[in-house]
Amino acid sequence: MTVQNQSFELKKVLRFLNEIGIDVFEKVLETFFLPGLSLGPNCLYIDFEKLLYPGDILHEAGHLAVTTSAERKIAGTDKMASDWPSQGEEIGAILWSFAAAQHLELPIEFVFHPNGYKNESKWLISNFTNENYIGLPFLEWAGLALGKERAAKEDKEPFPKMLKWLRD
């Protein structure tokens, strides 16, 4: 898919990832967990011909964003731990992708489409739109965002605003 054929939303996502330091490379992919997407060392590989849901890019980017910088450098290689991501990192990536969609002013359904998240998209949308941010303690612990109480104490904006987009 050429840049001219990409949707407005996809262009927004790709520009955002470039701005925060997650590289994206177009690549023909034979194997992948999500259609048309694969993780690499501090990067995402996208096969635009096989990509079904552009919102999945934010979820995969979330995996890179919430993991440590040392682990980001080995993502997608045989050096990465076989049990990566942890459950905390998985829910952190889901919440991170919600924050990114909010930041980019994309509809929540862009990320949480009906064919993703093990048929729990509606449940996630319901929780997040009601400000029940499952996974927020992980993002706070990782130094990426603040809950309402801590944000008020520190005179900063609470989640879904992020303190930073990449974990140290």
Side-chain angles (χ1 to χ4, degrees), residues 26-82:
E26 187 169 356
K27 181 179 180 179
V28 174
L29 299 171
E30 299 304 322
T31 59
F32 39 78
F33 178 71
L34 292 174
L37 292 169
S38 185
L39 294 175
N42 201 39
C43 72
L44 286 174
Y45 297 117
I46 303 176
D47 186 332
F48 289 104
E49 295 300 320
K50 294 178 181 134
L51 181 69
L52 295 181
Y53 305 102
D56 288 347
I57 295 169
L58 286 178
H59 177 75
E60 290 302 290
H63 281 297
L64 292 173
V66 304
T67 195
T68 64
S69 60
E71 288 178 320
R72 261 196 310 278
K73 293 175 186 171
I74 59 172
T77 71
D78 59 2
K79 294 178 183 175
M80 191 55 130
S82 62

Side-chain angles (χ1 to χ4, degrees), residues 2-167:
T2 64
V3 174
Q4 291 94 351
N5 294 334
Q6 294 173 2
S7 70
F8 173 73
E9 293 88 354
L10 181 55
K11 288 178 185 177
K12 241 181 167 176
V13 168
L14 296 176
R15 186 171 43 250
F16 169 70
L17 295 179
N18 181 58
E19 288 169 3
I20 66 169
I22 294 177
D23 294 325
V24 175
F25 298 104
E26 187 169 356
K27 181 179 180 179
V28 174
L29 299 171
E30 299 304 322
T31 59
F32 39 78
F33 178 71
L34 292 174
L37 292 169
S38 185
L39 294 175
N42 201 39
C43 72
L44 286 174
Y45 297 117
I46 303 176
D47 186 332
F48 289 104
E49 295 300 320
K50 294 178 181 134
L51 181 69
L52 295 181
Y53 305 102
D56 288 347
I57 295 169
L58 286 178
H59 177 75
E60 290 302 290
H63 281 297
L64 292 173
V66 304
T67 195
T68 64
S69 60
E71 288 178 320
R72 261 196 310 278
K73 293 175 186 171
I74 59 172
T77 71
D78 59 2
K79 294 178 183 175
M80 191 55 130
S82 62
D83 61 349
W84 182 85
S86 69
Q87 289 181 344
E89 288 168 327
E90 179 64 40
I91 195 66
I94 291 170
L95 199 55
W96 184 96
S97 64
F98 168 76
Q102 295 291 295
H103 176 75
L104 295 171
E105 299 178 345
L106 296 170
I108 192 170
E109 296 82 7
F110 178 77
V111 175
F112 301 105
H113 54 84
N115 295 314
Y117 301 91
K118 300 177 183 174
N119 297 315
E120 296 294 338
S121 295
K122 286 183 182 178
W123 181 78
L124 290 167
I125 290 169
S126 174
N127 275 282
F128 296 163
T129 55
N130 288 307
E131 297 184 6
N132 183 22
Y133 299 130
I134 302 153
L136 186 54
F138 176 84
L139 292 184
E140 279 190 292
W141 175 79
L144 296 172
L146 297 174
K148 284 184 180 181
E149 282 184 32
R150 191 163 159 210
K153 287 178 187 173
E154 296 184 22
D155 197 29
K156 295 183 178 169
E157 290 191 74
F159 186 85
K161 295 292 184 187
M162 299 290 285
L163 296 173
K164 58 185 178 180
W165 289 104
L166 297 177
R167 184 174 169 190

